[in-house]
Amino acid sequence: MPYIIDGKAISKQIKDELRDEVEKLTEAGINACLAVIQVGNDPASTVYVNNKKKACAYVGINSRSYELPEDTSEQTLLDLVQKLNEDPEVNGILVQLPLPKQIDEDKVIRTISPDKDVDGFHPVSVGRLWIGEKGFLSCTPAGVIQLLKRSGIEIEGKECVIIGRSNIVGKPMAALLLRENATVTVAHSKTKDLKSIAKRADILIVAIGKAKFITKDYIKEGAVVIDVGMHRDEQNHLCGDVDCEDVSSVVSAITPVPGGVGPMTIAMLMNNCVETIRGREERA
Ligand code: NAP
């Protein structure tokens, strides 16, 4: 049986560490406040937003909620983001994606101040990541690094293959693995002979967005598999991009869905929120 990487337990461990840190900062009179903006009432977004607010309450971070109607204009949202950029009491700004079609997501992301960009999506955060400068890291890939490290899985020198090249998962994942001295390959929908490329991986990270796409034919014996995907199958059960049952005889370790990467994304968001106030007690 493979080792099951327990994202739920690791995310709790991280949130508990953050809670201790926040408690000390609060005692020193330093508070963090996250502004969470949701436009419309997509049920999945509402679940994500509520989970983020719950995590804030757990860690001891204040959260402010802005719930805007589905037909909100782009300018109204940009004005709100600008107002929050200028509000000294707000340390982090999160705009829940996706946004309704009348709003250009890219414009909104670029309007968030890079100093409050706790999702790590602003081009300044992305640039900092690639040149190895300190900055906000995209939460899901940062969570994957923590899952590997805290499970005692060595990254340095390993052959890592990422399937998927999105701006929020695949690309920042590649930058973070390079930082950890892995040898990195990024595959995508135009990649030729995906199976043989995936089979090179000591660590295979899958972020394709296709339920149970990866079977044991893609996996080298003993590989570690991180499944970023999140879907509902025919029985309405949550599942990932990896066919967990099929691969279990070949992998050495794997993240489950649910309970793998998912909880880590929120834990790393909390870490980015705390990052906005870290070190302030020395400056106070
Ligand atoms: P995305 O933006 O749709 O990107 C999917 C990537 O997979 C693209 O780069 C695409 O290639 C590639 N791809 C699609 N079909 C492929 C194929 N047959 N062979 C090889 N590559 C293929 O998705 P995403 O936002 O990165 O998310 C991926 C999955 O992770 C989704 O299931 C999403 O729900 C989940 N997710 C989970 C979390 C979490 O917290 N657990 C966070 C974010 C995302 P091209 O670029 O060539 O089109």
Side-chain angles (χ1 to χ4, degrees):
M1 279 303 281
Y3 176 71
I4 305 295
I5 301 172
D6 188 345
K8 229 173 145 182
I10 296 173
S11 81
K12 173 152 190 317
Q13 189 183 60
I14 292 173
K15 284 188 286 180
D16 285 345
E17 290 166 11
L18 292 171
R19 188 161 70 162
D20 291 346
E21 202 179 337
V22 169
E23 199 181 328
K24 289 196 186 87
L25 286 162
T26 307
E27 278 165 14
I30 298 150
N31 298 297
C33 175
L34 173 69
V36 183
I37 306 174
Q38 183 181 359
V39 185
N41 36 31
D42 168 58
S45 290
T46 304
V47 171
Y48 291 135
V49 163
N50 285 339
N51 287 342
K52 288 168 188 176
K53 288 193 280 195
K54 254 193 247 164
C56 280
Y58 184 82
V59 170
I61 295 166
N62 300 321
S63 65
R64 269 199 220 166
S65 239
Y66 296 86
E67 284 154 29
L68 307 183
E70 180 77 26
D71 61 356
T72 299
S73 72
E74 183 178 278
Q75 197 53 51
T76 304
L77 179 58
L78 294 177
D79 289 345
L80 173 60
V81 170
Q82 197 52 48
K83 199 177 98 195
L84 295 169
N85 281 341
E86 287 156 19
D87 186 336
E89 286 186 4
V90 170
N91 308 88
I93 302 171
L94 184 148
V95 180
Q96 184 63 43
L97 303 179
L99 290 167
K101 56 184 179 323
Q102 73 276 14
I103 301 176
D104 179 349
E105 281 184 4
D106 193 46
K107 226 173 176 174
V108 176
I109 289 169
R110 285 168 189 267
T111 302
I112 296 172
S113 161
D115 294 335
K116 300 189 178 187
D117 175 39
V118 286
D119 259 335
F121 295 162
H122 192 286
V124 169
S125 303
V126 176
R128 284 179 179 151
L129 165 64
W130 279 99
I131 63 173
E133 231 176 53
K134 210 165 152 28
F136 295 114
L137 303 177
S138 186
C139 301
T140 302
V144 170
I145 297 290
Q146 287 300 315
L147 279 179
L148 292 168
K149 285 189 168 174
R150 290 176 185 245
S151 303
I153 295 163
E154 196 164 328
I155 305 173
E156 183 162 311
K158 291 288 168 64
E159 193 70 65
C160 294
V161 176
I162 304 160
I163 313 182
R165 56 173 165 180
S166 69
N167 287 337
I168 61 164
V169 186
K171 286 180 195 158
M173 191 73 253
L176 285 172
L177 287 166
L178 273 178
R179 259 194 196 185
E180 299 295 331
N181 298 320
T183 302
V184 182
T185 304
V186 182
H188 46 79
S189 69
K190 306 289 185 290
T191 296
K192 294 206 168 74
D193 198 6
L194 183 62
K195 280 186 187 163
S196 69
I197 287 174
K199 269 196 154 164
R200 294 206 307 243
D202 301 311
I203 301 174
L204 179 67
I205 293 159
V206 190
I208 310 181
K210 293 199 164 115
K212 299 186 187 177
F213 183 92
I214 297 294
T215 55
K216 62 172 181 281
D217 306 343
Y218 290 80
I219 295 169
K220 176 167 85 175
E221 182 84 40
V224 171
V225 174
I226 305 289
D227 187 355
V228 181
M230 181 77 84
H231 315 272
R232 294 232 168 238
D233 66 13
E234 313 78 53
Q235 284 86 42
N236 204 32
H237 294 145
L238 283 171
C239 70
D241 286 346
V242 178
D243 186 337
C244 217
E245 250 174 70
D246 190 66
V247 305
S248 68
S249 59
V250 280
V251 300
S252 62
I254 188 164
T255 54
V257 178
V261 175
M264 295 301 293
T265 300
I266 293 190
M268 300 319 289
L269 172 69
M270 294 301 107
N271 183 57
N272 279 348
C273 291
V274 177
E275 184 60 30
T276 63
I277 52 168
R278 263 188 195 123
R280 287 207 186 165
E281 68 278 30
E282 286 125 42
R283 283 181 254 139

